[in-house]
Amino acid sequence: MPHAPSIEDLLKKSKQAAPSDDTSDDTSVTPEAEKKEGAAEEIASRNTTTGKLDARMGAIKLREKEKVTQERAQKIGLPYIALRGFPIAPEALSLIPRDVAQTLHVVAFFSSGGEIRLATTEPSKEIQRLKEDLAKGQHAHVEIYLISDDSFNAAYTLYDKLPTPKEVIYGYRIDEATLEKYKKEMSSYADLQKKIGEVSTTDIITLMIGSALQADASDIHVEAEENDVKIRFRIDGILRGAASLPKEAWKQIISRLKLLAGVKLNITNKPQDGRITIYLTNEKIDIRASFLPTAFGESVVMRLLRPKAIALAFEDLGIRGTALERLNREIEKPNGMIVTTGPTGSGKTTTLYATLKKLNTPGIKIITLEDPIEYKLQGINQSQIDHSKGYDFANGLRSILRQDPDIVMVGEIRDLETAEIAIQASMTGHLVLSTIHTNSAAGAIPRFLSMGVKPFLLAPALNAIIGQRLVRRLKPEMAIKTPLAPEKLEEVKKILGTLPPNSGYTVDIEQLEFMEPDPAKITDTDDGYSGRVGIYEIFTMTPEIEQVILSGASLSEYKIQELAMKEGMVTMAQDGLLKALDGLTSAEEVLRVAIE
């Protein structure tokens, strides 16, 4: 390992030679000039003397500080080094990111042959963890040295000399100015249709994606039909026709989309999946693109994965009251299973990510197994299924359990093998989060049993099952009180009439008032709704339900729901109607979404 030069050697190297006193006088000068020259020489001499004195004083102070650091190193049992002038290689320095170096006052000053040397001004637990991470990640022996603030500052300035990697963007960039321009030019889908007919192929894609972002759409559907190509946006769960393209333009547009998504341009008879990244000024948005051959050409569906969609707390999702209390209690348990149920597009992934966000702390290790990874979560290890390599949910779950996780999230339980591994994991000290496709929370238990899961394993493993749907939020400024049709009012009364007495809610079913969008204010681009809120039923395991499962009796979804409601569970339909009574949504919307 290179040896650090002493502070004296560094001072000798930096010591400047004194200016020469030799002067040549090839021209005659006047007495006045001689006086001025003499005065200038005197000032220069004085400044030189002062500069030398300041340099010597600075060197003395530096030596004193280094001596203090060296003595401190001896006291705490760490080796000492001075880094001013030390030849630190870029590959060593770059082992620690600049922001980490600045925060912890630590640098890597040597790396060679399986040996790494770190230097810090303040040893701490964080430095020790950094040492362990480097040792594990680099397969190296790591030692920590103590340095002075001066040494750290000298080493830290070397970050400025590290080569900056050139940004390589595999994606599409839309600047904020372009989006603002769209907002001004397009107030309706008619404006979008008009603009599409005026721009180039590249600009059509920019216009289409920019308009979808502006409309807060979750999906863009581009579908080839017999006479033209339709563009539709899914907004708050509802597909809306946005514009159409001439049939002859489709070949260029699909080729451009395939190029951006990174799929093969020459394959048109097989499904393909790709990914597009949209770079905004302050946000990066991933788009999952699916290409499907149809009778009139390929159909493309692009799912816009916006990070803000998962930056939510339970309360923001719509979980409240007793259900929120129960869920918070269950996720705080160190082991067991929490399962979410519902159809595609019901917000299951968002609920799981909100749970992971709440549980993600420095002392917890979380690993997810997803198909595919939709959102990147900081501080969480995410693994993606790859069926072509035999890496499915069952095999993946076995592998990640060897990684010593505290919490495991499995994207979906589809078969008995995955279910059994997840249940075993939940009973051996892990908290397991997952999803299963059933119509209600109560339906999850019969579904597990129908897969072949043993009742004596299932009953103690389950902590909570969450059933959910998404309903559109009413815009307060467009909402008016509207009486329900008699037959729908009777249905609402029947649903709310079975509200459990111990649910924490009381409703006078003879005094029901609901809001609906004002028909006079509805336009082709504004139907009176904006955004969505979840409606939930959260079923937690109780001794009574556990005994029923263990008894081996034939269990139906309705029997489980009846037992859960006795314990105070509010059903999805009830939760939705309670939210409608609060003006968050409409009764019509709840009946559309929650009633099978």
Side-chain angles (χ1 to χ4, degrees):
M1 187 185 83
H3 295 287
S6 67
I7 194 68
E8 290 81 2
D9 290 339
L10 292 172
L11 287 173
K12 286 178 183 177
K13 288 180 182 179
S14 63
K15 194 174 182 181
Q16 300 295 320
S20 174
D21 291 332
D22 294 335
T23 59
S24 58
D25 188 9
D26 297 329
T27 60
S28 59
V29 295
T30 63
E32 291 79 6
E34 286 182 353
K35 287 181 181 179
K36 288 181 180 179
E37 187 177 333
E41 289 177 354
E42 183 178 350
I43 292 170
S45 176
R46 194 181 305 139
N47 288 342
T48 301
T49 303
T50 303
K52 290 180 179 178
L53 181 60
D54 289 344
R56 290 192 187 100
M57 292 300 295
I60 291 169
K61 289 180 180 179
L62 189 60
R63 282 198 297 270
E64 289 174 351
K65 289 178 180 179
E66 293 297 330
K67 186 176 180 181
V68 169
T69 303
Q70 190 171 11
E71 290 172 351
R72 182 178 172 227
Q74 291 175 349
K75 286 181 181 179
I76 63 177
L78 284 180
Y80 157 82
I81 193 169
L83 291 182
R84 180 172 287 278
F86 189 93
I88 301 176
E91 57 268 23
L93 193 68
S94 59
L95 287 172
I96 298 176
R98 184 172 190 154
D99 57 340
V100 175
Q102 185 179 36
T103 302
L104 299 181
H105 266 224
V106 61
V107 291
F109 65 90
F110 178 81
S111 176
S112 179
E115 296 288 331
I116 295 175
R117 300 292 181 263
L118 304 182
T120 181
T121 61
E122 192 58 53
S124 63
K125 291 181 180 179
E126 287 79 10
I127 298 293
Q128 188 62 33
R129 280 197 289 269
L130 178 64
K131 171 187 174 181
E132 293 168 0
D133 290 344
L134 274 175
K136 186 175 181 181
Q138 300 293 324
H139 305 289
H141 174 252
V142 183
E143 285 190 20
I144 299 173
Y145 285 66
L146 191 69
I147 56 172
S148 66
D149 288 332
D150 179 77
S151 275
F152 173 76
N153 292 334
Y156 185 75
T157 59
L158 298 177
Y159 275 99
D160 295 331
K161 298 179 181 179
L162 283 181
T164 303
K166 185 178 180 181
E167 181 185 23
V168 179
I169 295 175
Y170 299 99
Y172 207 56
R173 189 179 292 280
I174 300 178
D175 57 46
E176 301 296 338
T178 304
L179 290 183
E180 287 300 320
K181 181 182 176 183
Y182 293 155
K183 289 178 183 178
K184 292 176 182 177
E185 293 181 353
M186 294 176 294
S187 58
S188 68
Y189 292 136
D191 293 333
L192 173 61
Q193 180 64 63
K194 180 182 177 183
K195 191 71 177 176
I196 274 180
E198 300 172 353
V199 298
S200 66
T201 300
T202 300
D203 288 338
I204 285 175
I205 294 172
T206 302
L207 188 65
M208 178 172 61
I209 295 174
S211 299
L213 292 173
Q214 177 194 331
D216 206 20
S218 61
D219 301 84
I220 302 171
H221 290 240
V222 189
E223 301 155 335
E225 297 187 354
E226 185 175 7
N227 299 316
D228 58 7
V229 178
K230 292 288 191 299
I231 299 174
R232 298 194 289 173
F233 296 159
R234 188 176 292 280
I235 302 171
D236 298 333
I238 304 294
L239 270 176
R240 304 177 186 279
S244 62
L245 298 167
K247 188 77 172 176
E248 54 270 19
W250 182 229
K251 188 174 181 180
Q252 284 184 306
I253 291 169
I254 190 71
S255 296
R256 177 66 175 156
L257 287 172
K258 284 185 170 183
L259 186 65
L260 290 173
V263 302
K264 295 181 179 179
L265 275 68
N266 61 332
I267 293 180
T268 59
N269 59 349
K270 293 180 182 179
Q272 295 189 84
D273 294 318
R275 209 171 181 97
I276 304 171
T277 300
I278 302 296
Y279 292 87
L280 302 179
T281 304
N282 298 313
E283 186 180 13
K284 186 178 79 171
I285 298 171
D286 283 331
I287 297 179
R288 197 176 70 211
S290 171
F291 297 82
L292 183 74
T294 67
F296 299 107
E298 290 177 278
S299 169
V300 185
V301 175
M302 293 178 279
R303 169 66 58 87
L304 279 64
L305 305 171
R306 306 193 73 166
K308 69 176 186 179
I310 59 166
L312 298 172
F314 287 156
E315 295 84 351
D316 300 322
L317 296 175
I319 306 175
R320 59 184 191 173
T322 306
L324 178 61
E325 294 173 6
R326 289 179 175 179
L327 184 58
N328 279 327
R329 187 168 60 246
E330 295 304 324
I331 67 171
E332 288 172 0
K333 292 181 178 179
N335 58 280
M337 283 184 69
I338 295 174
V339 180
T340 63
T341 72
T344 301
S346 61
K348 299 187 298 297
T349 299
T350 302
T351 300
L352 286 178
Y353 281 175
T355 306
L356 293 176
K357 179 186 174 187
K358 188 176 180 69
L359 295 171
N360 189 16
T361 59
I364 297 293
K365 180 164 184 176
I366 301 175
I367 304 179
T368 71
L369 190 60
E370 304 174 60
D371 183 22
I373 296 172
E374 293 194 353
Y375 300 95
K376 305 296 193 305
L377 301 174
Q378 189 170 1
I380 292 175
N381 297 299
Q382 295 174 269
S383 182
Q384 181 162 315
I385 292 299
D386 188 345
H387 294 286
S388 65
K389 297 179 180 177
Y391 188 60
D392 56 17
F393 280 113
N395 292 331
L397 187 51
R398 286 193 189 93
S399 298
I400 65 178
L401 288 174
R402 300 187 194 107
Q403 293 286 309
D404 189 30
D406 298 294
I407 298 170
V408 175
M409 193 270 271
V410 184
E412 185 182 347
I413 294 176
R414 300 175 180 173
D415 52 48
L416 175 60
E417 187 178 13
T418 307
E420 287 184 334
I421 299 168
I423 288 170
Q424 289 291 348
S426 72
M427 297 175 69
T428 54
H430 306 87
L431 183 65
V432 179
L433 311 179
S434 191
T435 70
I436 192 170
H437 281 287
T438 61
N439 292 325
S440 67
I445 291 177
R447 177 79 179 98
F448 274 119
L449 294 175
S450 70
M451 284 183 184
V453 175
K454 304 294 188 296
F456 65 86
L457 293 176
L458 181 64
L462 285 174
N463 286 3
I465 304 172
I466 306 167
Q468 65 181 84
R469 299 285 192 279
L470 294 174
V471 294
R472 293 177 293 168
R473 286 181 183 267
L474 277 171
K475 285 186 174 181
E477 68 275 14
M478 292 182 65
I480 58 170
K481 289 182 181 179
T482 306
L484 289 176
E487 66 277 9
K488 290 187 177 178
L489 182 60
E490 285 304 311
E491 188 174 11
V492 166
K493 286 182 177 181
K494 183 179 178 181
I495 294 169
L496 290 176
T498 59
L499 197 64
N502 54 346
S503 66
Y505 296 100
T506 56
V507 175
D508 184 354
I509 60 172
E510 300 304 325
Q511 300 291 326
L512 299 177
E513 289 186 340
F514 296 102
M515 310 288 281
E516 293 284 343
D518 185 351
K521 296 180 180 179
I522 293 176
T523 67
D524 67 332
T525 56
D526 192 345
D527 58 5
Y529 295 95
S530 180
R532 289 190 286 180
V533 64
I535 57 175
Y536 297 88
E537 56 187 26
I538 297 181
F539 156 82
T540 55
M541 188 60 65
T542 65
E544 183 181 1
I545 296 174
E546 189 171 344
Q547 284 302 315
V548 172
I549 296 172
L550 291 172
S551 69
S554 177
L555 287 176
S556 69
E557 179 178 334
Y558 304 104
K559 175 65 175 177
I560 296 293
Q561 181 162 305
E562 181 184 341
L563 292 171
M565 290 180 71
K566 283 182 181 179
E567 298 294 331
M569 185 189 82
V570 175
T571 67
M572 276 185 287
Q574 290 170 341
D575 184 46
L577 291 173
L578 289 169
K579 288 182 169 80
L581 287 171
D582 290 339
L584 292 174
T585 188
S586 65
E588 293 276 2
E589 179 72 2
V590 174
L591 294 175
R592 178 184 71 84
V593 171
I595 305 303
E596 303 298 336

